[in-house]
Amino acid sequence: MNRDEVLSTLPGNDEFQAAPNYKKKEIVARLIRTILDQLDGEQRSPDRWEAEHLVAANGYLLSDWYSAATTAAVKALAPPHERANPETWARTDDTITTRALRDGLDYAAGKPARNG
């Protein structure tokens, strides 16, 4: 996955923090969607590392915890050589699929953002 390409979609931290909640939600949803698009472009489903962090990002997005959602999504981009115990993160039969992650993202992104 091209981490630099994905990260280039993010605004700077000051701009993100100053944005109203609805805009933060849009930014985070776009980040997660870009990661899922990268996986689709590579014609693969996420490995366990990517899946666990993207599930967390979707959950944080649903909870309106946008900074945590961004952090989790960015962690999903870590290449195997930067992960602890990279040999343990292989995809298994029960690892969530890209389609299921996208469905979760659509649900979370469709919920109105809290005021702020």
Side-chain angles (χ1 to χ4, degrees):
M1 205 173 329
N2 187 333
R3 180 169 43 179
D4 292 336
E5 182 180 318
V6 174
L7 294 177
S8 72
T9 67
L10 289 175
N13 188 54
D14 289 341
E15 182 182 346
F16 181 79
Q17 295 302 326
N21 281 347
Y22 79 90
K23 189 66 172 168
K24 288 177 185 173
K25 184 174 196 137
E26 290 173 3
I27 291 166
V28 175
R30 185 175 61 243
L31 170 63
I32 298 169
R33 195 167 282 114
T34 300
I35 294 169
L36 296 174
D37 291 347
Q38 287 263 332
L39 288 168
D40 285 344
E42 295 174 7
Q43 298 181 344
R44 68 179 183 89
S45 287
D47 62 26
R48 283 188 43 242
W49 173 276
E50 295 161 332
E52 287 185 22
H53 287 89
L54 290 170
V55 165
N58 276 345
Y60 293 137
L61 180 63
L62 187 60
S63 301
D64 301 314
W65 198 2
Y66 306 120
S67 293
T70 301
T71 299
V74 169
K75 282 184 179 182
L77 297 169
H81 70 275
E82 293 181 12
R83 304 173 187 174
N85 303 318
E87 66 281 353
T88 65
W89 294 105
R91 184 168 177 76
T92 62
D93 290 341
D94 66 343
T95 306
I96 194 166
T97 64
T98 306
R99 177 75 257 154
L101 285 164
R102 203 175 286 280
D103 288 346
L105 173 60
D106 290 344
Y107 179 81
K111 179 184 151 284
R114 279 191 277 174
N115 292 337

